[in-house]
């Protein structure tokens, strides 16, 4: 479970590490400054969306360190914060790689032509290309 006081301390460590204040942090992750102020004061708890914005903006921040205090900051590539979760991803990758190319559908085998291609961007926007 999220420990609010530890989470606040970790946010302060992030700001200190990157030499930024709360206003700059709020601007970088795209939230209102008052919202960050309420989280830092302990008035509000952070949402998952808020946590993900922090992790996306600062790649050295580890999810488990930020939320649970496990692991280290800045993120170490050798740190094994969640063996169960990481092992499940590895197992899933193994299952996928065991499939042969012949078992995967070939989009060019079908006589249908491509009608539309859509690119989705991390910022939530998208671009469509029609035939």
């Amino acid at each position: 479970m999220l420990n609010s006081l530890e989470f606040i301390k970790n946010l302060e460590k992030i700001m200190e590490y990157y030499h930024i204040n709360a206003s700059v942090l709020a601007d970088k992750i795209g939230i209102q400054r008052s919202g960050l102020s309420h989280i830092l004061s302990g008035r509000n708890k952070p949402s998952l969306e808020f946590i993900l914005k922090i992790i996306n903006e600062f790649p050295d921040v580890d999810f488990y360190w930020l939320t649970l205090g496990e692991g280290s900051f800045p993120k170490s590539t050798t740190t094994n914060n969640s063996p169960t979760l990481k092992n499940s991803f590895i197992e899933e990758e193994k299952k996928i790689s065991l499939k042969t190319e012949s078992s995967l559908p070939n989009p060019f085998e079908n006589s249908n032509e491509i009608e539309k291609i859509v690119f989705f961007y991390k910022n939530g926007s998208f671009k469509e290309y029609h035939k």
Side-chain angles (χ1 to χ4, degrees), residues 11-82:
L11 273 181
E12 291 169 347
K13 287 178 186 176
I14 292 168
M15 291 187 294
E16 183 180 316
Y17 180 81
Y18 289 102
H19 305 291
I20 58 175
N21 59 29
S23 297
V24 173
L25 176 62
D27 293 343
K28 278 187 158 297
I29 63 172
I31 66 165
Q32 292 184 357
R33 293 175 182 180
S34 61
L36 179 59
S37 174
H38 291 185
I39 290 171
L40 288 171
S41 70
R43 177 179 172 193
N44 294 351
K45 291 190 176 193
S47 66
L48 178 59
E49 181 181 7
F50 173 84
I51 293 168
L52 293 176
K53 285 182 177 189
I54 294 284
I55 291 169
N56 286 331
E57 183 64 33
F58 303 102
D60 286 333
V61 177
D62 181 73
F63 177 82
Y64 294 102
W65 173 80
L66 180 60
T67 56
L68 303 174
E70 297 175 4
S72 62
F73 174 74
K75 188 185 331 186
S76 169
T77 56
T78 59
T79 302
N80 190 0
N81 295 327
S82 176

Side-chain angles (χ1 to χ4, degrees), residues 84-97:
T84 307
L85 185 59
K86 288 183 181 181
N87 288 341
S88 66
F89 283 127
I90 291 169
E91 289 302 315
E92 192 62 30
E93 286 178 13
K94 285 179 185 176
K95 288 177 188 175
I96 292 170
S97 67

